[in-house]
Amino acid sequence: MSELKIYNSIHRQKEVFTPITPGHVGMYVCGPTVSGESHLGHARPYITFDVVNRYLRFLGYKVRYVRNITDAGHFEEEGREAEDKISKKAILEKLEPMELVQKYTNLYHWAMLQFNNLEPSIEPTATGHIIEQIEMIKTIIEKGYAYEVDGNVYFDVKKYAASYDYGILSGRVLEDMLETTRELEGQEEKRNKVDFALWKKAPPEHIMRWPSPWGEGFPGWHIECSAMSAKYLGSQFDIHGGGMDLQFPHHECEIAQSEIAHGELMARYWMHNNMITINGRKMGKSYGNTITLTEMFSGNNPQLEKGYSPMVIRFFVLQTHYRGTLDFSNEALLAAEKGLQRLWAAYEVLQKLTYTGNGQPINEELDKQVRQLCAELPEFMNDDINTAKVMANLFELAPVINSLKGGQIKMHEISEDTFNLMQHSWKTYLVDILGIQMEVLGTDEDKLDGVLQMLINMRKEAKARKDYATSDKIRNELLTVGIQLKDEKDGSVSYSIVQD
């Protein structure tokens, strides 16, 4: 079997994967900002890196997979004013910031479970690591690459770029950025337009704040991942993953501040999945074209013709190589649904078949073809985790399996070793590595109950913050589709299906 090769974004080429410590892999993946519900665009990186995690474990590595939760911070995104998304959304929903964080973290965990994603080894939060972030900022200041102005601390990008390669990951050129980056309101105090915040002074109305050597404030966005990855994986680790949209500014800034703090490149391999687009445009909250995961499952979005099961969405994501653009359409999801049904039906047939060749002569050409298709599966995974080609080979094998069942192909036409190889390969690649498991979906009744319990909880939260309009709307709209809610004396809520 060939060696595992990964496309390393920082060198823009595929490279043989060699971990720092033999037999062990440290992997950090940027997790969600829990200021709202995760959408379809968020599903892609977490499904992608779940498969990376599964495959590394299959190869025998002991993996420490760290995926953070961003529950605080000052977010600087290209082309838009910086903002504190958590506090802003908490005010809109009339919730305490940490109440909002808990609500959407729980919903995120529930969605990851539906996708059959393995849990990360460690899931640190930004608010749980304020001390580590402050200490790292102090180190950067001491080394002369950050400065404080009126309670705000900024990283000096221009000074860093004089001695280091700022733009090594994204390919950006500092001089071009200095010319094209616009001045943002309230940031005149920065030495350079491209300097980014390590710490922000908290204005009087800001709810989330912590004491620091520079006064009360809160961390910038980029510092949390540098601080938490260093704590749990060391100053240099094996793989840093995330969406392609994070290459700049987030990952570029992580590299800069970590290199100053620790004196080395923080990660040896940088993996980035491409985006999910709708009509050729990135799916994102700021573009107003998102489809939340609960909407994907229920079909409750005008862009959807129907709801799609979590396994269909997982299958849809993995049918395309993780670095390729994946364009959303109902047609593509319907095709994924049919494809999943076809592969899973073949898998179930294969698992029930037993070899009955009886020593009769085999069909050498067919036997060779089946063995070749199976032998290519690890080669495809070793070629930068090419799940698309793995699925293509499984689709080629499906008619052979169905013909073995139907008798069009006699069992003796392939050897017992080839039959066992095919049976083992399907279980290994479809279930263990790609993570497809139909039983995760449950029955239709299970899915209905799950959606209803989510709506009941949303209604409870609305009532708790005296948002009776939303509470009544949930109850009334459920009633229009034949589901009646009943508030029980013990505070619980039950539901019943109203018969016509």
Side-chain angles (χ1 to χ4, degrees):
M1 189 168 72
S2 60
E3 295 177 293
L4 171 61
K5 288 185 178 180
I6 290 173
Y7 184 86
N8 194 347
S9 301
I10 207 162
H11 296 144
R12 297 167 183 77
Q13 64 182 12
K14 292 179 187 177
E15 297 174 352
V16 173
F17 177 69
T18 305
I20 296 168
T21 304
H24 296 258
V25 175
M27 180 168 72
Y28 187 95
V29 173
C30 291
T33 300
V34 284
S35 58
E37 186 181 346
S38 294
H39 58 70
L40 179 59
H42 295 141
R44 191 174 192 186
Y46 307 128
I47 291 171
T48 294
F49 288 102
D50 179 63
V51 172
V52 174
N53 179 31
R54 286 170 177 270
Y55 189 60
L56 289 168
R57 292 174 187 273
F58 167 74
L59 292 178
Y61 290 109
K62 184 176 181 181
V63 182
R64 177 176 285 182
Y65 176 21
V66 181
R67 187 186 68 207
N68 70 300
I69 295 285
T70 296
D71 57 352
H74 174 77
F75 302 93
E76 301 180 20
E77 298 181 58
E78 190 174 16
R80 300 206 298 275
E81 297 284 347
E83 63 176 333
D84 178 357
K85 296 181 180 179
I86 304 291
S87 294
K88 186 176 180 180
K89 189 68 177 292
I91 292 168
L92 286 173
E93 295 201 20
K94 297 182 174 63
L95 296 172
E96 284 290 327
M98 293 313 292
E99 188 179 4
L100 179 99
V101 161
Q102 192 64 55
K103 170 185 174 180
Y104 289 116
T105 299
N106 290 346
L107 197 54
Y108 167 73
H109 286 154
W110 172 80
M112 294 304 100
L113 186 64
Q114 306 314 301
F115 287 133
N116 194 30
N117 284 350
L118 302 177
E119 293 181 350
S121 313
I122 303 171
E123 192 175 56
T125 64
T127 56
H129 296 78
I130 298 296
I131 293 172
E132 288 84 354
Q133 293 176 72
I134 289 172
E135 289 302 312
M136 189 170 183
I137 295 168
K138 286 164 65 177
T139 298
I140 297 170
I141 292 173
E142 288 166 6
K143 291 188 176 183
Y145 285 87
Y147 57 94
E148 184 262 338
V149 183
D150 191 28
N152 298 304
V153 181
Y154 297 103
F155 187 90
D156 192 333
V157 171
K158 196 171 181 180
K159 181 174 180 179
Y160 172 82
S163 303
Y164 300 90
D165 188 359
Y166 187 73
I168 187 173
L169 179 65
S170 63
R172 303 294 179 99
V173 178
L174 180 61
E175 288 72 19
D176 294 343
M177 287 189 280
L178 287 169
E179 288 180 11
T180 58
T181 302
R182 62 192 177 95
E183 290 281 3
L184 296 176
E185 186 179 346
Q187 295 192 25
E188 300 83 1
E189 63 194 12
K190 296 199 299 186
R191 291 178 186 171
N192 312 290
K193 291 183 288 185
V194 292
D195 292 351
F196 57 88
L198 297 174
W199 187 265
K200 290 295 290 181
K201 179 181 179 180
E205 70 276 9
H206 204 278
I207 304 170
M208 300 178 83
R209 57 176 66 218
W210 291 267
S212 80
W214 319 286
E216 284 200 342
F218 52 97
W221 175 25
H222 315 303
I223 194 70
E224 66 169 283
C225 290
S226 289
M228 292 189 291
S229 63
K231 177 168 184 176
Y232 296 110
L233 298 173
S235 59
Q236 188 180 70
F237 51 93
D238 297 300
I239 299 172
H240 195 319
M244 195 174 287
D245 57 323
L246 295 180
Q247 283 189 346
F248 187 88
H250 187 47
H251 289 169
E252 196 74 69
C253 295
E254 279 188 61
I255 289 171
Q257 63 201 11
S258 294
E259 188 147 21
I260 294 303
H262 305 302
E264 58 186 337
L265 184 64
M266 66 186 295
R268 296 175 65 182
Y269 299 86
W270 291 78
M271 296 181 70
H272 293 94
N273 65 273
N274 212 324
M275 300 176 289
I276 291 183
T277 58
I278 296 184
N279 299 321
R281 190 174 191 181
K282 175 193 170 185
M283 180 180 287
K285 294 173 187 175
S286 59
Y287 302 120
N289 64 353
T290 58
I291 304 173
T292 68
L293 294 180
T294 51
E295 288 171 344
M296 285 298 306
F297 302 157
S298 67
N300 187 25
N301 185 292
Q303 299 175 90
L304 296 170
E305 292 179 5
K306 53 171 281 188
Y308 300 93
S309 74
M311 282 299 108
V312 168
I313 296 167
R314 186 180 183 98
F315 191 85
F316 168 67
V317 167
L318 297 178
Q319 269 191 307
T320 300
H321 187 268
Y322 75 90
R323 286 190 289 113
T325 302
L326 185 59
D327 198 53
F328 162 84
S329 70
N330 282 281
E331 292 76 18
L333 281 165
L334 287 168
E337 187 172 57
K338 290 178 181 176
L340 173 59
Q341 290 168 353
R342 182 179 163 200
L343 284 194
W344 192 260
Y347 168 72
E348 289 191 322
V349 165
L350 181 59
Q351 297 311 302
K352 292 173 183 174
L353 287 175
T354 54
Y355 188 77
T356 54
N358 301 322
Q360 297 180 59
I362 65 172
N363 180 332
E364 296 285 354
E365 185 178 347
L366 175 64
D367 190 78
K368 182 180 178 181
Q369 179 190 10
V370 171
R371 294 187 71 84
Q372 179 66 24
L373 289 169
C374 292
E376 287 174 344
L377 299 178
E379 299 301 316
F380 294 150
M381 288 301 293
N382 281 339
D383 184 18
D384 194 30
I385 317 294
N386 200 325
T387 58
K389 286 190 174 181
V390 168
M391 284 191 174
N393 273 29
L394 294 179
F395 274 117
E396 283 198 55
L397 286 166
V400 176
I401 295 167
N402 293 329
S403 295
L404 284 171
K405 180 192 177 186
Q408 295 89 345
I409 295 176
K410 305 303 179 185
M411 189 64 78
H412 70 80
E413 293 187 62
I414 59 173
S415 70
E416 186 171 7
D417 285 346
T418 299
F419 175 82
N420 291 337
L421 173 64
M422 183 165 61
Q423 206 171 46
H424 175 74
S425 295
W426 273 70
K427 168 68 167 59
T428 298
Y429 287 88
L430 185 66
V431 176
D432 298 341
I433 294 172
L434 298 186
I436 302 297
Q437 288 192 343
M438 295 301 287
E439 61 267 26
V440 171
L441 303 179
T443 63
D444 288 342
E445 290 79 10
D446 291 335
K447 286 186 280 185
L448 174 63
D449 183 70
V451 171
L452 286 173
Q453 291 302 328
M454 181 185 67
L455 290 170
I456 287 168
N457 288 334
M458 289 171 68
R459 180 171 173 263
K460 282 182 180 178
E461 290 166 359
K463 289 179 73 175
R465 62 177 185 268
K466 296 182 170 53
D467 182 4
Y468 298 115
T470 299
S471 170
D472 291 345
K473 184 179 180 183
I474 292 171
R475 182 195 62 209
N476 294 337
E477 290 198 6
L478 283 175
L479 189 58
T480 62
V481 295
I483 296 170
Q484 187 170 46
L485 300 183
K486 181 181 179 184
D487 294 306
E488 304 290 355
K489 292 180 180 179
D490 62 0
S492 64
V493 178
S494 61
Y495 68 85
S496 58
I497 297 175
V498 180
Q499 301 297 325
D500 293 331

